[in-house]
Amino acid sequence: MSHEPIALRQALASFDALWSPRIVTRVNDYDVRVAKVEGEHVWHVHEHTDEFFLVVDGELRIALREPVGERTVTLPTGSVFTVPRGTEHRPSSASGASILMFEPTGTLTVGDRADRYGGELPDHVDATTGHPLVAP
């Protein structure tokens, strides 16, 4: 990890892959990840950790399955939202967005039950714990 300031716009400009987060830095046992997103991710859940989202550019929608039913939150540029642990959710962006996330190091992008997809994840979704950011 770099011990120099990192410009988020430059970090985001350094890759094109969608739904394939890059680890910008670490804070204690958490990764700070940036990603470009467009279209829909998959429904997934993180049983043991919350997931923090900050929309750097564009608009992100997060569909949530909660005990009282389903709802969708809309996050315009500059908005933050935390998905509580144990909440099934599906991020999406119709016209594309750039996001920043905080997640414990080693957290898989498709949640704790990746095996439920039977290895049949959509081609555009990267099941990863994050990729190192190549210096912009």
Side-chain angles (χ1 to χ4, degrees), residues 12 19 33-37 53-57 60 91 97-101:
L12 285 158
W19 301 109
R33 302 175 184 177
V34 293
K36 293 179 180 179
V37 301
F53 293 87
L54 163 66
V55 179
V56 176
D57 189 44
L60 183 72
S98 298
I99 61 175
L100 180 142
M101 299 162 288

Side-chain angles (χ1 to χ4, degrees), residues 17-20 40 42 119-127:
L18 298 175
W19 301 109
S20 185
E40 291 184 342
V42 295
E120 297 297 325
L121 285 170
D123 290 339
H124 71 279
V125 174
D126 185 9

Side-chain angles (χ1 to χ4, degrees), residues 5 36 51 71 103 117 119 130:
K36 293 179 180 179
E51 187 172 16
R71 71 178 175 119
E103 296 182 298
Y117 302 107

Side-chain angles (χ1 to χ4, degrees), residues 74-123:
T74 301
L75 307 172
T77 298
S79 296
V80 299
F81 183 76
T82 300
V83 175
R85 71 190 70 200
T87 301
E88 194 170 13
H89 59 287
R90 182 185 66 205
S92 66
S93 179
S95 57
S98 298
I99 61 175
L100 180 142
M101 299 162 288
F102 283 106
E103 296 182 298
T105 299
T107 299
L108 194 60
T109 57
V110 294
D112 299 333
R113 300 184 214 149
D115 60 331
R116 77 182 199 171
Y117 302 107
E120 297 297 325
L121 285 170
D123 290 339

Side-chain angles (χ1 to χ4, degrees), residues 30-58:
Y30 279 74
D31 289 341
V32 179
R33 302 175 184 177
V34 293
K36 293 179 180 179
V37 301
E38 188 171 355
E40 291 184 342
H41 199 271
V42 295
W43 282 102
H44 65 283
V45 65
H46 303 283
E47 294 290 352
H48 305 290
T49 186
D50 300 334
E51 187 172 16
F52 172 88
F53 293 87
L54 163 66
V55 179
V56 176
D57 189 44

